[in-house]
Amino acid sequence: MSGRRVLHVSQTDDGGVGRFLEYIVADQVRRGDEVAVAVPPEGRTLAGALVEPWRLRSTGPSPWLPLEVRSLAGIVRRFRPEVVHLHSSKAGLAGRLLLRRRLPTLFQPHSWSFLAVEGPVARATLAWERAGARWADVIVCVSDDERRVGEERGIHPPGYRVFPHGVDLERWPAPPAGAREQARAGLGLDTAPLAVCVGRLHRQKRQHALLDIWPQVREAVPGARLALVGDGPDRAALEARAVEGVSFAGAVDDVREWLLAASLVVQPSKWEAGVPLSVMEALACGRGVVATDAPGLRDIGRDLPGTPVVPVDDEIGLRDAIAERLANPDRADREGAAGRAFAEARDDLGRQMAGIRGLYEEIVEGRSRA
């Protein structure tokens, strides 16, 4: 597909969603599409795309929703897209309420919204996802787990498609000899065993579980350090715990240096849409990973058998898996080398981008025939 006018709508251009937008916008611009991205006004520029300020008052349902839909309507009128690709819950809500399939519409949850809330809010959110499913031509998932959760909860769009995450191996080349030492020097780090966790500081990512076990990890591996890379609503509470050996890097423009500096990368999530980009990027950097068997994330244990995957909430298993690898860096590096080989063999980014391009064309052509 080439020459289409594509509008991406997202409540954020940060974190994993932001990196996915970078990948898909770069691919589509390179192939000759005219691309616009509707994001909040503070959003950054995405190379080759027209960035349209979308005026959001909140990232969830709110009394401001009619104004947010109206702002998005103005963007649609100005850009006149042939395809609209909605990313995450707020864009999925506003975009589907506005368009109601009057234009070819794809919705990509990037993790189901009802998993992030509880009680009446979760029930209301699920009810909306069931009702709103009919207003997307296709729901795009990044794992069979994500699709399965949607189907089991009664979310039945006209169609589902699954395209697993990948990374651009040209942007993430195999690390040269001495890369860890060079990265640590650039970050001002010493040679102590270092675990790195990349992600939004939020209960979904369960950084609190790492703080719970870190004193025990340091008993087993004296001097071991943990770096939390990212920002989010739980940062103040996590920092207030003042756990020895834990540092907060905050949001960074490029996580590569932190991944290269790591002895090990940890992803203790409670749920994910699929294998997160942070994990795929860690594998591309040749770093071993310890993960939980959260929906979506557990696929990494199936696809890469050497990667330890422990049950969610199994703090002892998580502690032991981390400590064993920090105490045996050769083992962690062997697992990391296997991860790099896996990332090279899988090359899911190319398949993901090609699959989405083909899906756009399929939807547009199918509507033309109809």
Side-chain angles (χ1 to χ4, degrees):
M1 187 198 80
S2 64
R4 297 286 184 197
R5 294 172 64 84
V6 181
L7 173 65
H8 294 277
V9 185
S10 179
Q11 67 198 44
T12 181
D13 61 358
D14 196 12
V17 176
R19 295 204 295 284
F20 178 79
L21 283 172
E22 286 182 12
Y23 285 144
I24 196 166
V25 166
D27 179 77
Q28 291 171 356
V29 169
R30 184 170 61 247
R31 295 176 184 277
D33 296 322
E34 190 173 348
V35 182
V37 183
V39 290
E42 64 273 15
R44 55 194 164 87
T45 301
L46 292 163
L50 171 66
V51 177
E52 289 275 9
W54 179 28
R55 302 197 177 279
L56 286 183
R57 297 294 185 94
S58 80
T59 57
S62 76
W64 301 106
L65 180 61
L67 294 177
E68 294 164 342
V69 171
R70 187 181 306 167
S71 173
L72 183 58
I75 294 170
V76 171
R77 283 195 301 271
R78 288 193 299 274
F79 184 66
R80 295 177 290 107
E82 296 174 79
V83 178
V84 179
H85 193 150
L86 307 171
H87 301 270
S88 296
S89 58
K90 188 57 176 280
L93 172 61
R96 285 179 288 175
L97 284 174
L98 170 66
L99 297 172
R100 307 190 186 200
R101 287 186 71 194
R102 287 189 287 267
L103 290 172
T105 304
L106 296 84
F107 170 50
Q108 188 164 345
H110 295 277
S111 187
W112 292 109
S113 56
F114 49 80
L115 296 177
V117 289
E118 297 176 340
V121 177
R123 291 191 290 274
T125 303
L126 177 57
W128 153 250
E129 291 294 354
R130 289 170 175 166
R134 67 186 185 276
W135 288 332
D137 292 84
V138 173
I139 291 181
V140 177
C141 297
V142 296
S143 72
D144 287 326
D145 263 347
E146 187 179 30
R147 174 190 54 77
R148 190 178 304 115
V149 167
E151 290 177 335
E152 289 174 350
R153 299 295 182 93
I155 300 169
H156 301 300
Y160 278 101
R161 291 295 178 86
V162 177
F163 302 111
H165 276 319
V167 293
D168 184 346
L169 295 176
E170 292 184 2
R171 290 178 58 184
W172 293 82
R180 178 177 287 122
E181 292 74 18
Q182 183 176 351
R184 290 191 178 196
L187 294 169
L189 303 174
D190 58 24
T191 60
L194 174 67
V196 171
C197 177
V198 177
R200 186 168 178 250
L201 302 183
H202 182 270
R203 66 184 184 87
Q204 175 196 357
K205 303 295 185 178
R206 295 182 69 247
Q207 290 94 346
H208 67 273
L210 294 178
L211 270 60
D212 290 343
I213 65 172
W214 207 251
Q216 300 169 51
V217 172
R218 283 172 66 88
E219 286 180 11
V221 187
R225 300 195 60 82
L226 169 67
L228 302 182
V229 181
D231 210 339
D234 291 355
R235 178 167 181 169
L238 294 170
E239 284 188 311
R241 295 178 59 177
V243 176
E244 188 175 0
V246 177
S247 59
F248 292 78
V252 298
D253 291 332
D254 186 359
V255 300
R256 181 176 170 81
E257 290 304 300
W258 280 101
L259 295 176
L260 289 174
S263 308
L264 179 72
V265 174
V266 188
Q267 194 77 42
S269 304
K270 187 172 184 177
W271 75 85
E272 293 284 356
V275 178
L277 275 171
S278 58
V279 170
M280 294 303 300
E281 290 164 351
L283 298 178
C285 286
R287 297 297 174 255
V289 173
V290 171
T292 54
D293 66 350
L297 185 54
R298 60 188 165 211
D299 287 354
I300 195 66
R302 178 199 66 200
D303 296 339
L304 191 57
T307 297
V309 176
V310 302
V312 175
D313 298 331
D314 180 3
E315 292 195 355
I316 293 175
L318 182 63
R319 176 201 67 192
D320 291 347
I322 294 170
E324 287 170 10
R325 284 155 181 82
L326 292 181
N328 298 280
D330 289 344
R331 176 181 180 180
D333 284 348
R334 286 195 301 271
E335 292 175 355
R340 172 68 196 189
F342 166 76
E344 291 177 347
R346 187 158 124 165
D347 188 25
D348 268 344
L349 182 65
R351 284 199 286 269
Q352 186 183 37
M353 296 297 104
I356 291 173
R357 287 196 310 274
L359 182 56
Y360 288 0
E361 196 71 2
E362 178 183 325
I363 293 170
V364 172
E365 290 185 353
R367 282 177 171 241
S368 296
R369 287 194 299 270

